[in-house]
Amino acid sequence: MHIQPNAELKAYNTFGLSARAGGLLKILHTGDVHEVVSSGLHPLRILGGGSNILLKGDVEGYVLKNEIKGISIVDENDNNVLVEVGAGEVWHQFVLWAISKNLGGLENLALIPGTVGAAPIQNIGAYGVEQESVFHSLKAIDLTDGNEMIFGKDQCRFGYRDSIFKHELKNRCFIVSVSYLLYKKNYTVNTSYGAISEVLKSKDVHNPGIDHVADAVIEIRRSKLPDPELIGNAGSFFKNPVISVAQYKLLKELHPDIPCYSAGEGLVKVPAGWLIERAGYKGIQKGNVGVHKNQALVLVNYGQGTGQEVWQLALEVMAEVQNRFGIQIEPEVNVW
Ligand code: EPU
């Protein structure tokens, strides 16, 4: 077990924020996790690709960096393939693997930053699909006692950018691998999201395959979302708020063009990007940080920003949206 003391985390978060952890441990195998548990080190925090966190400051205790790799087909029938993936695999590499084998189910989730182990925690989703639609199960180790656990889909309690791992099991389960049930036959691609059908139409693709949809998604993401390699960010910083239809109707009288998506009985989801843009924050820069010019949901670090600067901007944006629309938006990223 190698512990890197007083470790700089800048290279391990896509915001590119500088912060130190008491210790950093790279986890390559399940045995490493058992060693950590029996050593009694604490407190422990788990880091995947670092693409969904804001480091407000230094991190107390030990950070476990999940680097467990491997993609293997563990079962197969005429229609489906069950694939078990090491939680430390890069999500997009897994999506590319599936596309190269013409396996369906992940193509709308192409180019999402982060690791496979983080995908179920926040139930990643994009362009009309969430990972829960192909999720089968996951294996985890309980950091309190070292017990190995298997979670089926129902036990994960998936919701919009949500799961049990963000609530009562927060920081408690070290996810080792995730299994997905992908399609090899009898599969229809999902092109319901407006932007996907527009791209396909512009390319004269009439019977899109898995690869066409993935290419369209990649094109859309590249046009709207900043590349973390070039400009520090953690994707959507906020969740899209869910409000009552009654509240939405009142807002629509004042703002006739306010968009919404249905979110279950009597509820609608409003794009936080629209609210933030209307609050006047799209594209603004405050010191070293700002709100992205093409997608107001994304906060960015222009290079030398600090976690405190990003957090102050987030608080300001939240207060202004509350002030203008009476809607409380909340971070989607994990704030450490
Ligand atoms: N909009 C604006 N201004 C903006 C951004 C958005 O007016 O600056 C409005 C537009 O009306 C647009 C609508 O919001 O039509 C929806 O925008 P978009 O399609 O970009 O989606 P989103 O709701 O802003 C969500 C996810 C993204 C995901 C896209 C596509 C959340 C928090 N974000 O964004 O996820 O890629 O849908 O499915 O749900 C992420 O989680 O990191 C992420 C990027």
Side-chain angles (χ1 to χ4, degrees), residues 125-128 160-161 193 221 224-225 234-236 238-240 259 261 271 273-274 277 282 294-297 332:
Y127 307 105
Y160 165 57
R161 296 292 192 277
Y193 203 85
R221 288 190 77 95
K224 279 200 178 179
L225 298 166
S236 299
F238 301 101
K239 285 201 248 190
N240 287 332
Y261 309 100
W274 185 93
E277 180 172 344
K282 190 172 186 170
N294 296 337
Q295 167 53 287
L297 259 186
E332 194 240 316

Side-chain angles (χ1 to χ4, degrees), residues 312-324:
Q312 284 313 313
L313 176 60
L315 291 176
E316 191 180 321
V317 167
M318 287 189 276
E320 193 54 28
V321 168
Q322 172 72 51
N323 187 24
R324 293 229 190 170

